Amino acid sequence: MRSSNPVMTSLTETSQQQNPGYASEAPRPMTVDDVVTKTGITLGVIIVAAAINFYLGTMNPGTAMMLMLVGGIGGFITVLVASFGRKWGSPAATLIYAVFEGLFVGGFSFVFANSTIGGSNGMALIGQAIVGTIGVFIGMLIVYKTGAVKVTPKFTKILVGLIAGVAVMALANFLGALFFDFNPLRDGGPLAIIFSLVCIVLAALSFLTDFDQADRLIRAGAPAKQAWGVALGLAVTLVWLYTEILRLLSYVQRN
């Protein structure tokens, strides 16, 4: 079973190649506690780095924006290295990603915090986005645990295709905005609202495949260090979901 999250997919494939049956090579098999602990540490680092860059923004907005750019690019590169460079399960790769992505999230949030959108304070939108992200995460965990939605190979294949399509559209929109001042997917209009809604739904569904992949690794007795890879995969989805919810809230307030 493949996951829609490339980090989680690489994690499973490598564990299968290096540890058939996940037998004696691992000093200790991965547990739910390992996943919870490593994910908590990863999110903690993201929050601290985000808070630091957010605070820097109050003193030097230019520096915060520069660090946001560095964080976004660095986080993307780190995920690619972790996914395809045999670095999954590495605490260093996961924590480096957390620092980069924290800088990005802090700068991204600062942009909204210092704006009055549709008469609403930006900080209120950030709080709503955080609550919304936590709510979606808990909701999808309940959906997975109750089996309300089954994670099948067909489900995963469709989800991967949809996410790939969204990624291509986002890249095309970015290039259009950069070179032609054409930004229909991020300009706050009706199409931008629809696009963010689609991204939120896909991010939420990605949690199901992430949970399923983590569950399979635990039941198969994967090495405990692979919990760092699970944490990275979940963090990627959480950050994506948060940024899209915050964008959507800002669009709705403007309209």
Side-chain angles (χ1 to χ4, degrees):
M1 178 76 69
R2 294 175 62 85
S3 169
S4 60
N5 190 317
V7 176
M8 304 293 272
T9 298
S10 299
L11 188 61
T12 302
E13 291 176 348
T14 301
S15 295
Q16 291 173 339
Q17 293 169 3
Q18 296 179 350
N19 301 282
Y22 303 118
S24 58
E25 288 187 30
R28 182 174 64 80
M30 184 169 69
T31 66
V32 173
D33 286 344
D34 290 321
V35 174
V36 172
T37 300
K38 302 306 185 292
T39 302
I41 293 172
T42 303
L43 295 179
V45 173
I46 291 176
I47 291 171
V48 170
I52 290 173
N53 199 28
F54 190 95
Y55 178 71
L56 285 175
T58 63
M59 299 184 296
N60 191 330
T63 299
M65 295 303 97
M66 181 187 68
L67 289 176
M68 180 183 74
L69 179 62
V70 170
I73 295 173
F76 177 71
I77 292 174
T78 304
V79 168
L80 291 180
V81 171
S83 301
F84 307 109
R86 299 186 180 278
K87 297 297 183 183
W88 45 88
S90 164
T94 299
L95 295 177
I96 287 172
Y97 165 81
V99 172
F100 277 131
E101 208 63 12
L103 294 176
F104 170 76
V105 170
F108 186 84
S109 300
F110 177 77
V111 171
F112 289 87
N114 285 270
S115 304
T116 300
I117 303 171
S120 295
N121 185 280
M123 286 299 295
L125 295 184
I126 292 173
Q128 293 168 20
I130 292 172
V131 172
T133 301
I134 295 172
V136 171
F137 177 83
I138 294 174
M140 297 314 293
L141 182 58
I142 293 173
V143 168
Y144 175 73
K145 286 297 184 181
T146 59
V149 177
K150 299 294 184 182
V151 181
T152 64
K154 183 177 181 180
F155 174 89
T156 304
K157 183 180 294 186
I158 292 173
L159 185 57
V160 169
L162 291 173
I163 291 175
V166 164
V168 171
M169 292 175 63
L171 177 60
N173 185 80
F174 173 75
L175 294 176
L178 187 64
F179 295 108
F180 306 105
D181 196 27
F182 183 67
N183 188 32
L185 300 183
R186 297 301 189 191
D187 64 359
L191 190 57
I193 292 175
I194 293 172
F195 185 72
S196 279
L197 282 171
V198 170
C199 288
I200 289 169
V201 171
L202 293 179
L205 293 176
S206 292
F207 281 130
L208 296 179
T209 59
D210 291 346
F211 296 149
D212 183 69
Q213 203 76 2
D215 193 31
R216 288 173 178 272
L217 288 168
I218 291 171
R219 286 188 282 111
K225 70 175 185 177
Q226 301 289 17
W228 285 108
V230 174
L232 175 57
L234 289 170
V236 169
T237 306
L238 281 165
V239 169
W240 181 28
L241 179 63
Y242 167 74
T243 56
E244 290 300 336
I245 289 178
L246 185 53
R247 278 195 177 105
L248 179 62
L249 289 172
S250 71
Y251 298 157
V252 172
Q253 288 295 331
R254 288 171 189 164
N255 293 293

